[in-house]
Amino acid sequence: MDLHLAGSRPTRKAPPDYFTGTVLQDPIIATEAPARLVSTCVSFEPGSRTNWHSHPLGQTLYVISGVGRVQAKGGPVREIRPGDVVWIPPGEKHWHGASPTNGMTHIAMQEALDGSYATWMEKVTDAEYSARVG
């Protein structure tokens, strides 16, 4: 059994190659094989968001505070709020982040496949991000 005490792993700024705006990441767990779980608490400032990306084994988001947005490629922009759970199926191209006027924090949970938990793609354009919530 491993116990990771609160505050024992520093908060890190998310890499700008994969995110727009200020995004902070607090590691929760990255398990060793044969387990595959990777989980992070991610805090987005207003207007911040991920790039388009996908996960080989899917991803679950659990919103814990604020107001956010999520979109699957070709689908509507959806608003997400505390208590909402989002399941993104394996390989689905998507993005998520804060709303333009409110920050948002979620817990992201995904499994790694052959050591990879995400495929990062292009930035979400301002036009894509600003699309009407549907």
Side-chain angles (χ1 to χ4, degrees):
M1 178 186 298
D2 287 331
L3 172 62
H4 302 279
L5 298 175
S8 64
R9 290 166 294 166
T11 299
R12 62 182 182 247
K13 192 169 181 182
D17 289 348
Y18 304 140
F19 294 83
T20 297
T22 301
V23 179
L24 300 176
Q25 299 173 318
D26 286 293
I28 295 174
I29 194 74
T31 57
E32 295 184 21
R36 303 185 289 202
L37 180 64
V38 176
S39 185
T40 305
C41 183
V42 186
S43 297
F44 298 83
E45 286 191 354
S48 298
R49 57 207 183 254
T50 66
N51 283 14
W52 287 102
H53 63 288
S54 65
H55 301 277
L57 297 174
Q59 181 182 50
T60 300
L61 305 175
Y62 177 70
V63 182
I64 58 176
S65 68
V67 180
R69 291 181 170 193
V70 63
Q71 182 184 28
K73 189 67 172 179
V77 174
R78 307 279 304 274
E79 187 174 87
I80 53 177
R81 293 181 173 267
D84 289 348
V85 177
V86 181
W87 164 244
I88 298 124
E92 184 171 74
K93 186 175 180 177
H94 68 285
W95 66 267
H96 37 98
S99 77
T101 57
N102 296 93
M104 186 271 294
T105 299
H106 65 49
I107 295 175
M109 298 162 272
Q110 55 275 325
E111 291 183 289
L113 181 62
D114 299 324
S116 173
Y117 65 89
T119 299
W120 293 99
M121 301 170 204
E122 70 276 7
K123 294 227 176 258
V124 174
T125 67
D126 288 342
E128 290 170 322
Y129 175 76
S130 299
R132 189 172 68 87
V133 172

